[in-house]
Amino acid sequence: MTKLIELRLSKIRYTGDSIGDDIRVEVDCLNHSLDLNKSIKSGSTAAIDIAIGQFFTDESSLALPVSLKVIERDAVWNDVGAAEERFVVDTTKTGAQSFTSRVTVEETRPYKTKKKAIFELTFEARVT
């Protein structure tokens, strides 16, 4: 029986050093993408709940390759971090399955100290 899997970005958590609050998140998964601009301060969590894409399968699991990029937008120096993930969704279970990825963004300004921010992105795959 064919199953429908919907992948959603459910929340973003910003920890580590503060590098700014004008954030852009780019997510790509099997020819589906999400580009999101969000204002978020260091030490906080933002609820998002936005769909990235829908996928169909007849298999008992589906591996979703996900490319992530987090950009702290600035007039002069954009700070960028990226990650590659592979979320395996168990399609025998209905309901939501959570996956978390961490993206580290290092400051690119020419300072002696390089601040590092950590963005924890939580995804939810819903199987129906």
Side-chain angles (χ1 to χ4, degrees):
M1 185 169 151
T2 302
K3 302 279 183 149
L4 168 67
I5 296 102
E6 181 182 48
L7 184 64
R8 302 180 75 80
L9 175 60
S10 59
K11 65 181 177 179
I12 301 170
R13 185 170 171 234
Y14 181 176
T15 61
D17 298 325
S18 177
I19 59 170
D21 61 1
D22 188 11
I23 306 301
R24 179 175 178 82
V25 177
E26 298 176 356
V27 181
D28 290 309
C29 179
L30 296 174
N31 296 322
H32 292 81
S33 63
L34 169 69
D35 298 329
L36 173 72
N37 294 324
K38 186 75 177 165
S39 180
I40 181 172
K41 300 226 181 268
S42 180
S44 65
T45 301
I48 306 296
D49 197 33
I50 297 176
I52 296 165
Q54 295 182 337
F55 313 94
F56 296 93
T57 187
D58 290 333
E59 303 295 323
S60 61
S61 66
L62 177 64
L64 297 173
V66 179
S67 297
L68 306 167
K69 188 183 285 187
V70 177
I71 304 163
E72 191 286 315
R73 300 184 318 161
D74 192 68
V76 179
W77 306 96
N78 282 345
D79 304 321
V80 181
E84 297 287 328
E85 294 288 345
R86 185 173 176 265
F87 301 145
V88 179
V89 180
D90 183 352
T91 60
T92 63
K93 298 178 183 177
T94 57
Q97 298 172 43
S98 291
F99 303 94
T100 303
S101 179
R102 292 174 61 139
V103 179
T104 301
V105 179
E106 188 172 324
E107 210 171 38
T108 56
R109 296 175 191 200
Y111 294 142
K112 290 182 181 178
T113 59
K114 295 283 187 181
K115 292 182 180 179
K116 288 185 183 177
I118 299 166
F119 293 89
E120 192 172 281
L121 294 100
T122 303
F123 296 88
E124 192 174 89
R126 297 177 183 163
V127 179
T128 53

